[in-house]
Each structure stands twice: as structure tokens, then as C-alpha cells.
Amino acid sequence: EDIYLHSLPIKEYQIIDAFFDPTTLKDEVMKSHPVQKMTSAGQTNRFVCYVLVGDQNGHIGLGSKCSKEVATAIRGGIISAKMNMVPVRRGYWGNRIGQP
């Protein structure tokens, strides 16, 4: 929590693995779709994956990765999501419409 409190950047995904138990972290592929780039030799196909990682206890991260293979893109997306994890501020701070 001190890392998030002082806004320190997380440069390696192994830091998240050390702080959070790997069994508590859940990942889910939100979207995976192909993209194409036109080159002089023709079209090059790649896959973009968007992945969410969270511990279901107030921390969540979103990552994306583009790769030639779907499995590699998913793996890279998980790593990117772990490095982008942030705490979710929960609670009720009052509103004009009344209690939740």
C-alpha cells in the first residue's frame, strides 16, 4: 500500500507477484481482435489483447499487448496489467439522492 500511497512506479511484474499471492490474483481477457498493417510486401497480421487483473479486494489493473500470436499477446497483456495495478477507492461519500 505504501507503493500506491507515494505513487511509485512499478517497473517489473515480479514485484506484484511478491506482494500479492498468485492464487488471489485473477485475470480475464476482455477482448482479443486481429489488426492489420499494410506493407510493401503485403499485409501483416497481429492480435491485440486487453486483459484485466485483480485480487477482488480493491486492486485492479488493465493491460494491453499486440503480438503475432494470441497466446503471446495474452501473456504480455497479463504482465502489462500487473504493472498497471492501482487500488480502487471504495465507500460512500454522500450524494444528493440519498443513501445507497
Side-chain angles (χ1 to χ4, degrees):
E1 295 298 324
D2 290 336
I3 290 175
Y4 299 121
L5 182 66
H6 298 294
S7 299
L8 298 173
I10 298 171
K11 301 284 187 179
E12 297 176 353
Y13 72 96
Q14 289 92 347
I15 295 171
I16 296 295
D17 290 337
F19 285 138
F20 294 99
D21 187 23
T23 58
T24 61
L25 285 178
K26 307 246 187 305
D27 55 76
E28 183 175 341
V29 178
M30 298 306 291
K31 186 173 185 179
S32 177
H33 62 91
V35 293
Q36 293 179 338
K37 179 173 84 171
M38 195 67 192
T39 60
S40 60
Q43 295 176 344
T44 58
N45 295 326
R46 288 201 210 160
F47 295 94
V48 177
C49 287
Y50 298 99
V51 181
L52 275 176
V53 173
D55 65 348
Q56 296 180 342
N57 195 18
H59 297 92
I60 194 167
L62 175 66
S64 65
K65 178 70 176 172
C66 185
S67 180
K68 290 184 178 180
E69 297 177 2
V70 176
T72 311
I74 292 173
R75 242 189 330 267
I78 291 171
I79 291 171
S80 175
K82 284 182 180 179
M83 290 192 292
N84 291 326
M85 282 189 74
V86 294
V88 176
R89 193 172 163 204
R90 295 184 286 186
Y92 177 71
W93 298 286
N95 199 348
R96 294 182 193 173
I97 60 173
Q99 294 293 328

